[in-house]
Amino acid sequence: MRKLGAPTIHSYAEVLKLTTLTENNDGFVSPEAMFNELIADNKALIKTIRNAHAVTDAADDIASAGLLEGYIDEAEKRLWFLFETNQNREDSAS
């Protein structure tokens, strides 16, 4: 961002102000609820990264677009893994 002349995030507190995902501070979270939260969070993350990718494309910022493509790929793999693991967990529970 700085190489393009844009401001960057300066602190963890600033990250917390900008985040769109919420923390779960419950004392106990069931495995089903954990998977559902992780799946929803990864879907939201993928959407956000894809939106950022559109911005990098519009700015002709090839380097940042390439980084984001790697992040998208990893997040989509993680989402697939969570989904499949959750399916297997439900099958084995019955």
Side-chain angles (χ1 to χ4, degrees), residues 35-49:
F35 272 100
N36 290 338
E37 285 182 30
L38 287 168
I39 288 169
D41 287 351
N42 276 275
K43 285 180 179 179
L45 178 64
I46 292 165
K47 181 178 179 182
T48 299
I49 299 171

Side-chain angles (χ1 to χ4, degrees), residues 1-86:
M1 295 301 298
R2 289 178 66 177
K3 82 175 186 178
L4 299 175
T8 59
I9 296 172
H10 297 91
S11 68
Y12 186 67
E14 193 172 352
V15 170
L16 290 175
K17 287 179 189 175
L18 296 170
T19 189
T20 57
L21 301 178
T22 58
E23 292 286 331
N24 182 336
N25 294 314
D26 294 344
F28 174 79
V29 181
S30 71
E32 180 181 1
M34 283 186 223
F35 272 100
N36 290 338
E37 285 182 30
L38 287 168
I39 288 169
D41 287 351
N42 276 275
K43 285 180 179 179
L45 178 64
I46 292 165
K47 181 178 179 182
T48 299
I49 299 171
R50 286 185 175 280
N51 289 340
H53 190 280
V55 172
T56 62
D57 282 346
D60 200 27
D61 180 2
I62 298 167
S64 296
L67 285 171
L68 292 174
E69 288 165 6
Y71 296 152
I72 291 167
D73 184 50
E74 290 300 317
E76 287 177 342
K77 286 179 192 175
R78 192 170 45 250
L79 179 60
W80 167 81
F81 177 79
L82 288 165
F83 176 79
E84 291 298 329
T85 301
N86 196 34

